[in-house]
Amino acid sequence: MSEPTQTRSPRPAALSSASDRLFQGLILLLASVIVLVFVLSIYQLGRESWPALSRFGLSFFTERTWNPVEGTFGAVAMITGTLVTSLVALAISVPLAVASALFVAEYAPKWLANPVGYLIELLAAVPSVVYGLWALFVIAPVLGQWQLTFFNPQTHPERVELYTKCAALWAENKTTLQCFFVPSAGGGRGLALAIIILTVMILPYTASVARDVIRLVPQDQREAMYALGATKWEVISRAILPYARAGILGGVILALGRALGETLAVAMVIGDSQDLLKSLWGGASTMASVIANQFGDAQEALHRSSVVTLGLTLFVLSVAVNFVARLIIARLTPKGIQ
Amino acid sequence: MMSAASSSPARRHALSPARRLQNTLMGGLILLATLLVVAPLILIFLYLLREGFGAMFNLDFARAREGLGAVFSGANLDFFTKTPAPEGETGGGLANAILGSIEMLGMASVIGVLVGVAGGIFLAEYPRHPLMPTIRMVSDVLAGIPAIVMGLVAYGLIVLKFGFSGLAGAVALGFLMIPIVVRTTEEVLKLVPQTVREAGLALGLPKWLVTLRIVLPAAAGGIVTGVMLALARVAGEAAPLLFTAFGNSAINLDPTKPMSALPLEIYRGATSAYDENQRLAKAGALLLITLIFVTSLLARRASRRK
């Protein structure tokens, strides 16, 4: 970048100052709307969540019961649901995303790399509801069918016994590690389906950042390794990936931010249970899914305020995560460009 | 060129079988992972095409197998011209949602373009202004706010005072567009060579005229691309509309009244127990996804050519 300073400082002020200042003021005024939106968001969320926060205090974040009928609201189940779905989806999607980025940047010939890159970008353009619709109509029946087979009393009588034991535990809102992996009734909807669909939805964000940083790895690094007789995989694992690691991490955290706030696809498939996670295959909820499912019906002021408090929590969490991601990416970019 | 070097016969001999196996294996895994990443997109599109296309034009593929004419005699454009049939009845379309989406996206663009382009100009053309770092940071932060949270904000700002309305939905969508437009505008403005600005200034033009008459037109293509990408992004958002625009089963073009949108009807239909609503939701999803794909492909193609 050439320095813009030169054009600005030596100009005579008299020629244009009035109209220039007017234009700059107008642009600044419009640009300030950005800050205004942010401030209004904080004000709005803060004001509406105040009743719940002042009533429950920090116990809102440590209490397990979410019961609109009794008027007790604790967000542990939703916070856990959000973190578990996001982090597990992230853990599954990162290797896939990095592999696809390596394919596009290192393996594919140009005629194939561009279309594949396009397709991965289109994956990010598919709306949340459409993912939800597909998961509901296509994947859920498959999972539901699998659960029916798993419990078939004719073929697996011993499993039915296990299920009865687990169902009793679940009824008391308890779980054991074994029962966590035992399928529960629900027609395929539940935590597992939410994780599957979230994995697909956040793939493109990590993949496109990873592809960009891998392309920034200097050609010398590759050539030096090949000159030593390294195989392609050795070049990737010892020269390219270590070099691109920090940038990929930025992309991963960006994807985490997406996963935390992802709403409708998750709300449609997660089964909407306000209990703390019991089974991988059973119902659960995330902060975003509870907002989508309950805000419209929340009549009680305290219920409504509690839902907005979930929104505020989500807001703070997403802002923090995105801030870290951009910090990592920003710290990395100048090094890559030079 | 790299692969040619590594697979030359001389090199092959030097490789131990273990290293060669590892190399092949990892290459295979990477190819497999890429297929896994791309598969959902293709599966979703094929599924919607199969389920939605017939519903969109009221084609009856079962009758079609008996004779080709049956499909065309059954075809009609109800999907685009009618509103959803009452629950439990058949027929109807999503005209209310299509019109609502168009109107809300139009209103959202006004906010998104006005504020977004101004923000981009400010960041690119006044980099030494003391407020520049603040606005850059806040714009980045806004990009990460979940859409549903923006819906809550718009609810508090507008719906609490004036009730559910298309305008409230448009404001939520417009807020979501801002950071995308800011970023792309700033990037394309920075691509305009500094010498072009200097030439304008040397002719005695004031800075504002240089910006408006020389720099902006030079970057117009890129800015339009950014706006299209932002539109494609928010066109599919249903979450912020749930409690702002709210939805409306009748055609409504009055922005102060509840209004429907394609993603809203897809959400309602997909979670509905009625076959007919599910059918409309699949056709709506096919329409939405096609429009979004075409828009983003056009936008990306245009930006690549620059």
Side-chain angles (χ1 to χ4, degrees), chain B residues 100 103-104 107 163-172 241 244-246 252 254-260:
Chain B
E103 187 171 347
M104 273 195 273
M107 291 190 290
F164 298 114
S165 65
L167 192 65
V171 168
L241 301 182
T244 51
F246 193 72
N252 166 42
D254 178 356
T256 62
K257 299 264 161 54
M259 195 180 271
S260 197

Short mmCIF file of all heavy atoms in Angstrom, two decimals, chain B residues 100 103-104 107 163-172 241 244-246 252 254-260:
data_model
loop_
_atom_site.label_atom_id
_atom_site.label_comp_id
_atom_site.label_asym_id
_atom_site.label_seq_id
_atom_site.Cartn_x
_atom_site.Cartn_y
_atom_site.Cartn_z
N GLY B 100 -43.34 -10.48 0.10
CA GLY B 100 -42.83 -9.96 1.37
C GLY B 100 -41.31 -9.93 1.39
O GLY B 100 -40.70 -8.95 1.82
N GLU B 103 -40.06 -7.08 -0.80
CA GLU B 103 -40.27 -5.76 -0.19
C GLU B 103 -39.32 -5.54 0.99
O GLU B 103 -38.68 -4.49 1.12
CB GLU B 103 -41.71 -5.61 0.27
CG GLU B 103 -41.99 -4.19 0.76
CD GLU B 103 -43.46 -3.95 1.01
OE1 GLU B 103 -44.29 -4.77 0.59
OE2 GLU B 103 -43.77 -2.92 1.65
N MET B 104 -39.20 -6.57 1.85
CA MET B 104 -38.33 -6.38 3.02
C MET B 104 -36.87 -6.24 2.62
O MET B 104 -36.13 -5.44 3.19
CB MET B 104 -38.51 -7.55 3.99
CG MET B 104 -39.65 -7.29 4.95
SD MET B 104 -39.60 -8.41 6.33
CE MET B 104 -40.50 -9.76 5.67
N MET B 107 -36.28 -2.76 1.40
CA MET B 107 -36.15 -1.77 2.50
C MET B 107 -34.84 -1.97 3.26
O MET B 107 -34.18 -1.00 3.65
CB MET B 107 -37.35 -1.90 3.45
CG MET B 107 -38.66 -1.46 2.84
SD MET B 107 -40.00 -1.34 4.04
CE MET B 107 -40.31 -3.05 4.44
N GLY B 163 -45.65 -2.57 17.19
CA GLY B 163 -46.21 -3.86 16.80
C GLY B 163 -45.41 -4.53 15.69
O GLY B 163 -44.50 -3.93 15.12
N PHE B 164 -45.77 -5.81 15.41
CA PHE B 164 -45.08 -6.56 14.36
C PHE B 164 -45.26 -5.87 13.03
O PHE B 164 -46.37 -5.43 12.70
CB PHE B 164 -45.64 -7.98 14.25
CG PHE B 164 -45.44 -8.79 15.50
CD1 PHE B 164 -46.53 -9.19 16.26
CD2 PHE B 164 -44.17 -9.15 15.91
CE1 PHE B 164 -46.35 -9.95 17.40
CE2 PHE B 164 -43.98 -9.89 17.06
CZ PHE B 164 -45.07 -10.29 17.80
N SER B 165 -44.17 -5.76 12.24
CA SER B 165 -44.31 -5.13 10.93
C SER B 165 -43.17 -5.55 10.01
O SER B 165 -42.10 -5.94 10.46
CB SER B 165 -44.30 -3.61 11.07
OG SER B 165 -43.05 -3.18 11.54
N GLY B 166 -43.45 -5.47 8.71
CA GLY B 166 -42.43 -5.73 7.72
C GLY B 166 -41.25 -4.80 7.91
O GLY B 166 -40.09 -5.18 7.71
N LEU B 167 -41.54 -3.58 8.32
CA LEU B 167 -40.48 -2.59 8.53
C LEU B 167 -39.52 -3.05 9.62
O LEU B 167 -38.29 -2.94 9.47
CB LEU B 167 -41.11 -1.25 8.90
CG LEU B 167 -40.14 -0.06 8.88
CD1 LEU B 167 -39.65 0.20 7.46
CD2 LEU B 167 -40.81 1.18 9.44
N ALA B 168 -40.07 -3.59 10.72
CA ALA B 168 -39.20 -4.07 11.80
C ALA B 168 -38.30 -5.19 11.30
O ALA B 168 -37.10 -5.23 11.61
CB ALA B 168 -40.05 -4.56 12.98
N GLY B 169 -38.88 -6.09 10.47
CA GLY B 169 -38.06 -7.17 9.89
C GLY B 169 -36.98 -6.61 9.00
O GLY B 169 -35.83 -7.04 9.05
N ALA B 170 -37.35 -5.59 8.19
CA ALA B 170 -36.38 -5.00 7.27
C ALA B 170 -35.25 -4.32 8.03
O ALA B 170 -34.09 -4.38 7.62
CB ALA B 170 -37.08 -3.98 6.36
N VAL B 171 -35.58 -3.69 9.17
CA VAL B 171 -34.53 -3.04 9.97
C VAL B 171 -33.55 -4.08 10.49
O VAL B 171 -32.33 -3.91 10.40
CB VAL B 171 -35.16 -2.25 11.14
CG1 VAL B 171 -34.10 -1.82 12.14
CG2 VAL B 171 -35.90 -1.01 10.61
N ALA B 172 -34.07 -5.21 11.00
CA ALA B 172 -33.19 -6.28 11.48
C ALA B 172 -32.28 -6.77 10.35
O ALA B 172 -31.07 -6.92 10.53
CB ALA B 172 -34.01 -7.43 12.05
N LEU B 241 -36.63 -12.67 11.75
CA LEU B 241 -37.96 -12.26 11.32
C LEU B 241 -39.06 -12.86 12.18
O LEU B 241 -40.21 -12.42 12.14
CB LEU B 241 -38.19 -12.66 9.86
CG LEU B 241 -37.22 -12.09 8.83
CD1 LEU B 241 -37.60 -12.54 7.44
CD2 LEU B 241 -37.22 -10.56 8.90
N THR B 244 -40.26 -10.14 14.40
CA THR B 244 -40.30 -8.76 13.91
C THR B 244 -41.34 -8.66 12.79
O THR B 244 -42.37 -8.03 12.95
CB THR B 244 -38.92 -8.31 13.40
OG1 THR B 244 -38.42 -9.28 12.48
CG2 THR B 244 -37.94 -8.14 14.54
N ALA B 245 -41.06 -9.33 11.66
CA ALA B 245 -42.04 -9.34 10.56
C ALA B 245 -43.19 -10.27 10.90
O ALA B 245 -44.31 -10.09 10.45
CB ALA B 245 -41.38 -9.76 9.26
N PHE B 246 -42.88 -11.31 11.65
CA PHE B 246 -43.86 -12.23 12.22
C PHE B 246 -44.48 -13.20 11.23
O PHE B 246 -44.75 -14.35 11.56
CB PHE B 246 -44.98 -11.44 12.93
CG PHE B 246 -45.83 -12.30 13.80
CD1 PHE B 246 -45.32 -12.80 14.99
CD2 PHE B 246 -47.13 -12.64 13.43
CE1 PHE B 246 -46.10 -13.62 15.80
CE2 PHE B 246 -47.90 -13.45 14.25
CZ PHE B 246 -47.39 -13.94 15.43
N ASN B 252 -49.55 -9.00 1.88
CA ASN B 252 -49.57 -7.68 2.50
C ASN B 252 -48.36 -6.90 2.03
O ASN B 252 -47.24 -7.34 2.14
CB ASN B 252 -49.52 -7.82 4.03
CG ASN B 252 -49.20 -6.50 4.68
OD1 ASN B 252 -49.73 -5.47 4.27
ND2 ASN B 252 -48.30 -6.52 5.65
N ASP B 254 -48.13 -3.54 2.94
CA ASP B 254 -48.03 -2.40 3.84
C ASP B 254 -46.92 -2.65 4.86
O ASP B 254 -47.03 -3.56 5.68
CB ASP B 254 -49.38 -2.22 4.55
CG ASP B 254 -49.36 -1.07 5.54
OD1 ASP B 254 -48.27 -0.49 5.73
OD2 ASP B 254 -50.41 -0.77 6.11
N PRO B 255 -45.85 -1.86 4.78
CA PRO B 255 -44.69 -2.14 5.65
C PRO B 255 -44.96 -1.97 7.14
O PRO B 255 -44.14 -2.38 7.96
CB PRO B 255 -43.64 -1.14 5.17
CG PRO B 255 -44.38 -0.10 4.44
CD PRO B 255 -45.60 -0.75 3.88
N THR B 256 -46.10 -1.39 7.51
CA THR B 256 -46.36 -1.23 8.94
C THR B 256 -47.16 -2.40 9.50
O THR B 256 -47.50 -2.40 10.68
CB THR B 256 -47.15 0.09 9.20
OG1 THR B 256 -48.41 -0.02 8.53
CG2 THR B 256 -46.39 1.29 8.69
N LYS B 257 -47.48 -3.39 8.65
CA LYS B 257 -48.25 -4.56 9.08
C LYS B 257 -47.36 -5.81 9.04
O LYS B 257 -46.35 -5.82 8.34
CB LYS B 257 -49.46 -4.75 8.16
CG LYS B 257 -50.42 -3.59 8.16
CD LYS B 257 -51.57 -3.83 9.13
CE LYS B 257 -52.28 -2.55 9.51
NZ LYS B 257 -52.74 -1.76 8.37
N PRO B 258 -47.76 -6.86 9.77
CA PRO B 258 -46.99 -8.10 9.69
C PRO B 258 -46.86 -8.57 8.25
O PRO B 258 -47.78 -8.40 7.45
CB PRO B 258 -47.83 -9.08 10.52
CG PRO B 258 -48.60 -8.23 11.44
CD PRO B 258 -48.87 -6.95 10.72
N MET B 259 -45.72 -9.18 7.95
CA MET B 259 -45.43 -9.53 6.57
C MET B 259 -44.72 -10.87 6.56
O MET B 259 -44.03 -11.22 7.51
CB MET B 259 -44.49 -8.45 6.03
CG MET B 259 -44.33 -8.42 4.54
SD MET B 259 -43.21 -7.09 4.10
CE MET B 259 -44.34 -5.73 3.93
N SER B 260 -44.92 -11.63 5.48
CA SER B 260 -44.25 -12.93 5.41
C SER B 260 -42.96 -12.83 4.59
O SER B 260 -42.71 -11.80 3.96
CB SER B 260 -45.17 -13.98 4.80
OG SER B 260 -44.66 -15.25 5.09
#
